Amino acid sequence: MTPRRLRLGVNIDHVATLRNARGTAHPDPVQAAALAAAAGADGITAHLREDRRHIRDRDIERLRAEIALPLNMEMAATAEMVAIALRLRPHAVCVVPEKREERTTEGGLDVAGHREALRPLLTPLIEAGIRVSLFVEPDPRQLDAARALGAPVVELHTGAYCEVEGDARAAELARIVAAAAHAEAVGLECHAGHGLTFDSVAPVAAIPAIVELNIGHFLIGEAIFTGLEAAIRHMRARMDAARTTIGVSS
Ligand code: PXP
């Protein structure tokens, strides 16, 4: 059996973080997206946060207009973001929880706890043909709630797995493995991401039910030392190696 291909979505938020630190146009996240495409990325991910701390509305417009790769727009579940997504029509949206005071997306979306509040926000996106993904903890309850809402995709939060070591990491990986199998069993397309590095990516890439990884901060940081294209190519190689040697599925 041939392993199912694992897609790599490159998150370019932190190119915009660096740009915004000086209030100039450089470095341009859209130029980074073009380089990511040249290096073999399968998609571009960008988080339009409520406070616009990195990616701005104009960046999303330009990514849609200038980059041929599918755009995955991360966003909070708010009426403002739904309106922007409906106007700009990214290929996909990934709905994340968002708190102003956090440095990054700290946990998964509590879909099970907010199902009825999420429904009116997600339905127009699904009906518009935008692939809706929900960023959740690797918890079967959250996956079942995502399924009940009609979302076709979930993205499993790998942050807890990446933050710990040893037995604790093995336990977090086991949660991700079980959740990915559950997602597949209930008919959800399964993605994963957050905090992944060259060292932590292989065990996640090897999980056959996972079909996409979204990786940003580490790649942009590594680009300082090796260049963005080299960093992406190396990540891609590690993903492919893990997929071929361990994870095999139809
Ligand atoms: N997936 C989601 C839903 C995210 O919010 C983020 C961070 O923006 C990522 C993936 C990528 O995480 P990192 O930048 O740590 O690789």
Side-chain angles (χ1 to χ4, degrees), residues 105-223:
T105 312
E106 280 167 3
L109 190 68
D110 181 11
V111 185
H114 299 97
R115 212 162 89 176
E116 291 320 311
L118 285 167
R119 193 183 296 282
L121 291 163
L122 302 187
T123 302
L125 298 167
I126 295 169
E127 286 177 357
I130 298 170
R131 266 185 98 63
V132 172
S133 167
L134 304 180
F135 188 48
V136 294
E137 293 297 321
D139 170 354
R141 274 178 56 248
Q142 299 296 345
L143 304 180
D144 291 341
R147 187 81 184 91
L149 269 175
V153 184
V154 285
E155 180 168 328
L156 303 179
H157 198 314
T158 52
Y161 156 79
C162 291
E163 276 163 22
V164 293
E165 288 176 0
D167 290 349
R169 180 172 279 195
E172 287 298 336
L173 181 64
R175 285 180 72 212
I176 296 169
V177 169
H182 187 79
E184 188 170 50
V186 300
L188 289 162
E189 182 174 310
C190 189
H191 302 176
H194 209 284
L196 293 169
T197 67
F198 291 153
D199 290 337
S200 58
V201 76
V204 179
I207 300 170
I210 293 179
V211 298
E212 179 174 310
L213 299 182
N214 284 298
I215 308 179
H217 183 266
F218 178 81
L219 287 174
I220 304 306
E222 195 62 15

Side-chain angles (χ1 to χ4, degrees), residues 9-22:
V10 173
N11 181 314
I12 52 160
D13 290 353
H14 296 301
V15 179
T17 303
L18 194 56
R19 173 196 63 190
N20 297 354
R22 278 292 170 96

Side-chain angles (χ1 to χ4, degrees), residues 54-109:
H54 36 57
I55 294 294
R56 296 181 172 153
D57 301 56
R58 181 74 189 128
D59 297 322
I60 298 287
E61 287 168 8
R62 288 185 56 220
L63 287 167
R64 283 293 286 125
E66 297 172 33
I67 301 295
L69 287 182
L71 174 64
N72 173 32
M73 181 178 130
E74 293 178 5
M75 53 173 248
T78 65
E80 181 202 14
M81 288 299 153
V82 169
I84 291 172
L86 289 173
R87 181 166 59 83
L88 297 179
R89 304 283 166 135
H91 168 77
V93 297
C94 181
V95 181
V96 302
E98 206 175 287
K99 292 196 268 313
R100 257 176 197 269
E101 62 277 14
E102 71 189 356
R103 274 184 293 182
T104 181
T105 312
E106 280 167 3
L109 190 68

